[in-house]
Amino acid sequence: MTIYPASIQTRGDSVYMMADTAGGNALAVFGPDMELFEGERISLPEKVSGYTNTLSAAAAQKSGKEFADCKICPLTVENSKVIRSLFDYTNPKPHKGHDVTIGLGDRLGLASPGHIRLIRGLDVFPVLAQQSMRELNLTGRTYDDVLAAAVWAVFRENYTDGYGADGDHLKTHDEVKHALDCGCTMITLDCSEHIRNEYAAAQQSAVDVQYATLPGGLVSSFEEIYLKKTFPIGGGSEIMFEEADFRRIVLVYSAAIDHAVSIFDGLIKRTQTDFEVSIDETLSVTTPQAHFFVANELIRRGVDITSIAPRFIGEFQKGIDYIGEVTEFERDFAVHAKIAAHFGYKVSVHSGSDKFSIFPAIGRLTDGRYHIKTAGTNWLEALRVIAAKEPKLYREIHTFALENLPEARKYYTITDDISDIADIDSVTDADLPAYLNHDSARQVLHITYGLILQSKTPDGSPLFRSRIYSALHKHEADYLTALEQHIGKHLGLLGVREK
Ligand code: ZN
């Protein structure tokens, strides 16, 4: 058994520490506070194994007191709530005011210690808990689970600089309310179901007919604000609306704006919550005019925006680099960054994992003020460790992922051609980790995570889940090192500096 040295801390007459036991991580509490937690009380003198001796020695060294007993507490949601009530730094916090913020979604709930070790001392605020409803459904976890995993990681690493919790890509009032009730400090409102994309591609005559049905008062106030005007956005750039195009923008985005205003007024307004508005999950690229209109309307109607996620030019597929011309991206992104800076919120980049070719531009063109979300890439790093350390398990997972790809494609879009993935029977154990450097293989493994984690054997027990968790528990040091390297490469290219 090992004790995590950073986790040893005192509160009044009580001593706390986290330890790695055969059954996974656990919390040990000595002194009066043990009454506050659920767990198993053990008498220290009666247990003479190295197990209790190590714990009591550490407690005695920290406090100068001898303890007759302690409580070994499982890392449950309930116990994490007690920790949050006693140690304020373990509570998620809003991140307004921090220039660089990064979402580090942790699908397995095991990656946060690696993320913390990496970002400690860097000028970046981490959103350690970040899950969308889709990810919760696919992994079989809840917001309580996701937040508890972050709380335990923060406590274990004694990370006191603050972190956020993002209810990611939420669509409805009930979803947002639930995430806030669970303690999320950031809400990313996905407006895609209210974006009327059909008007982006419609014939102008159809647009004009629909536009004519809008209330006259609304139309004239819009036109007075936006038409025949120029809006400077800094650096000599300006936004102008051409009438036919403006009508389209109004039709495409009005309902999304109404939705964002109603969620903000109903649930966010009287809180400190970071509010991100996402208009990225659509088919068409967000034009500068559309971005400006959405932002200006939200602000005019009193919404305090922390960040907006437009849909940028090019393709942001999961787990692989940007697809498209980097120079074209830079031209497009520069305008969005200027609009965000003009209004004072941050531009947010979704599906940000592994977009190495555009990271330098994101850092530079925003002047180091942006939000970026990464998620599944730490799952791929977990698989890289499994490929290196548990080749037999990796082979099973790999084969399963390919067989179940059609099902996963219902939730995620990836490149159609996967014929360049080498047949696993022709690959030696030593070469298995190389699959994690291969774009098509990465994508297949990236999008099948839910099926891999949730699949059951005929008798109802998990097919892979427990074996994956125990492999990562066994090889935790390798996993945390892999994460530090991989996410470290992201931060280096983004230009994140030391504090
Ligand atoms: Zn998104």
Side-chain angles (χ1 to χ4, degrees):
M1 184 193 71
T2 45
I3 295 168
Y4 295 100
S7 71
I8 306 172
Q9 46 208 299
T10 56
R11 199 187 82 91
D13 292 330
S14 300
V15 182
Y16 291 72
M17 64 192 68
M18 281 179 70
D20 190 30
T21 70
N25 282 190
L27 173 74
V29 184
F30 300 75
D33 281 0
M34 77 169 81
E35 304 302 336
L36 305 172
F37 294 88
E38 53 189 31
E40 189 198 350
R41 192 167 180 149
I42 56 172
S43 275
L44 294 169
E46 287 164 23
K47 298 215 175 184
V48 288
S49 65
Y51 176 83
T52 48
N53 284 343
T54 320
L55 284 178
S56 47
Q61 195 184 13
K62 182 74 181 177
S63 64
K65 283 193 290 265
E66 296 284 339
F67 291 93
D69 54 7
C70 78
K71 198 177 257 185
I72 304 291
C73 313
L75 305 190
T76 58
V77 167
E78 279 314 307
N79 281 338
S80 79
K81 288 180 179 169
V82 182
I83 285 287
R84 283 173 60 192
S85 71
L86 302 176
F87 296 87
D88 186 53
Y89 71 86
T90 64
N91 284 296
K93 302 269 188 329
H95 63 238
K96 279 185 199 72
H98 290 268
D99 284 346
V100 181
T101 49
I102 178 166
L104 296 160
D106 178 6
R107 287 180 181 163
L108 294 168
L110 299 172
S112 286
H115 293 149
I116 289 169
R117 287 178 198 185
L118 171 67
I119 53 114
R120 200 190 277 281
L122 296 179
D123 195 6
V124 51
F125 184 95
V127 178
L128 295 175
Q130 170 200 283
Q131 298 268 281
S132 62
M133 291 312 284
R134 178 171 64 183
E135 287 171 310
L136 292 180
N137 292 334
L138 290 174
T139 54
R141 299 169 79 211
T142 64
Y143 273 125
D144 278 337
D145 297 331
V146 171
L147 185 53
V151 168
W152 292 120
V154 161
F155 189 80
R156 187 181 116 178
E157 302 296 320
N158 192 24
Y159 180 70
T160 58
D161 292 349
Y163 73 98
D166 180 8
D168 192 10
H169 275 285
L170 304 182
K171 294 182 174 171
T172 65
H173 180 281
D174 287 354
E175 288 176 0
V176 172
K177 175 148 195 339
H178 172 66
L180 290 171
D181 288 344
C182 291
C184 283
T185 54
M186 171 175 181
I187 294 296
T188 299
L189 185 69
D190 180 332
C191 298
S192 57
E193 284 174 4
H194 302 269
I195 295 176
R196 306 286 303 274
N197 259 313
E198 63 271 27
Y199 293 112
Q203 296 279 342
Q204 190 63 43
S205 54
V207 170
D208 293 342
V209 167
Q210 184 63 26
Y211 188 76
T213 67
L214 296 176
L218 180 73
V219 164
S220 59
S221 81
F222 273 165
E223 294 188 347
E224 198 179 315
I225 295 170
Y226 293 99
L227 292 184
K228 303 193 182 82
K229 299 265 168 59
T230 54
F231 299 90
I233 52 168
S237 304
E238 49 196 26
I239 300 286
M240 275 180 290
F241 292 88
E242 190 253 313
E243 189 166 0
D245 188 40
F246 178 71
R247 293 180 173 193
R248 260 177 220 282
I249 291 172
V250 169
L251 292 179
V252 174
Y253 291 100
S254 283
I257 292 164
D258 291 344
H259 180 56
V261 170
S262 110
I263 295 286
F264 180 82
D265 286 347
L267 293 167
I268 310 284
K269 199 172 191 164
R270 280 163 292 276
T271 70
Q272 295 297 309
T273 313
D274 295 314
F275 189 51
E276 173 161 318
V277 177
S278 123
I279 51 173
D280 67 311
E281 305 264 320
T282 67
L283 293 172
S284 42
V285 170
T286 311
T287 63
Q289 284 78 9
H291 181 171
F292 185 93
F293 175 72
V294 169
N296 200 52
E297 283 304 300
L298 290 174
I299 290 166
R300 230 166 52 81
R301 293 170 66 179
V303 176
D304 181 9
I305 310 168
T306 309
S307 42
I308 287 186
R311 162 91 155 81
F312 303 111
I313 203 162
E315 278 188 64
F316 287 70
Q317 292 192 9
K318 304 283 177 186
I320 59 170
D321 205 341
Y322 176 73
I323 301 174
E325 284 293 326
V326 173
T327 48
E328 220 184 319
F329 171 80
E330 292 191 10
R331 218 175 305 127
D332 177 60
F333 184 79
V335 182
H336 289 296
K338 271 186 193 155
I339 294 170
H342 167 74
F343 287 112
Y345 56 83
K346 296 202 283 191
V347 69
S348 177
V349 180
H350 288 194
S351 299
S353 9
D354 307 283
K355 302 298 177 289
F356 299 113
S357 63
I358 57 168
F359 286 155
I362 292 171
R364 187 178 74 247
L365 296 170
T366 57
D367 249 338
R369 269 193 94 233
Y370 53 86
H371 186 72
I372 186 163
K373 296 195 187 201
T374 71
T377 203
N378 55 59
W379 156 250
L380 292 175
E381 290 311 301
L383 290 178
R384 188 192 297 281
V385 171
I386 291 173
K389 302 288 176 185
E390 307 284 344
K392 194 173 154 295
L393 175 58
Y394 178 79
R395 283 178 191 278
E396 276 184 62
I397 293 172
H398 183 101
T399 307
F400 175 91
L402 285 171
E403 281 169 5
N404 290 277
L405 187 58
E407 175 67 18
R409 280 203 161 129
K410 292 179 189 164
Y411 314 103
Y412 288 101
T413 317
I414 60 164
T415 171
D416 287 328
D417 183 18
I418 53 149
S419 60
D420 58 342
I421 301 176
D423 180 359
I424 198 157
D425 292 330
S426 69
V427 174
T428 64
D429 281 358
D431 288 335
L432 291 178
Y435 277 120
L436 278 306
N437 300 330
H438 185 275
D439 279 359
S440 307
R442 281 179 76 78
Q443 290 202 285
V444 169
L445 294 164
H446 195 296
I447 69 164
T448 47
Y449 68 94
L451 298 167
I452 294 169
L453 289 170
Q454 301 266 48
S455 60
K456 305 262 193 291
T457 61
D459 71 4
S461 54
L463 180 57
F464 296 116
R465 191 184 192 100
S466 345
R467 283 187 289 162
I468 289 172
Y469 274 88
S470 62
L472 293 172
H473 180 227
K474 183 170 160 197
H475 304 292
E476 184 183 42
D478 297 287
Y479 183 39
L480 299 189
T481 303
L483 286 172
E484 282 184 67
Q485 284 170 357
H486 188 68
I487 301 296
K489 188 174 164 195
H490 287 59
L491 299 184
L493 287 166
L494 285 162
V496 170
R497 288 182 297 266
E498 293 188 359
K499 261 182 198 152

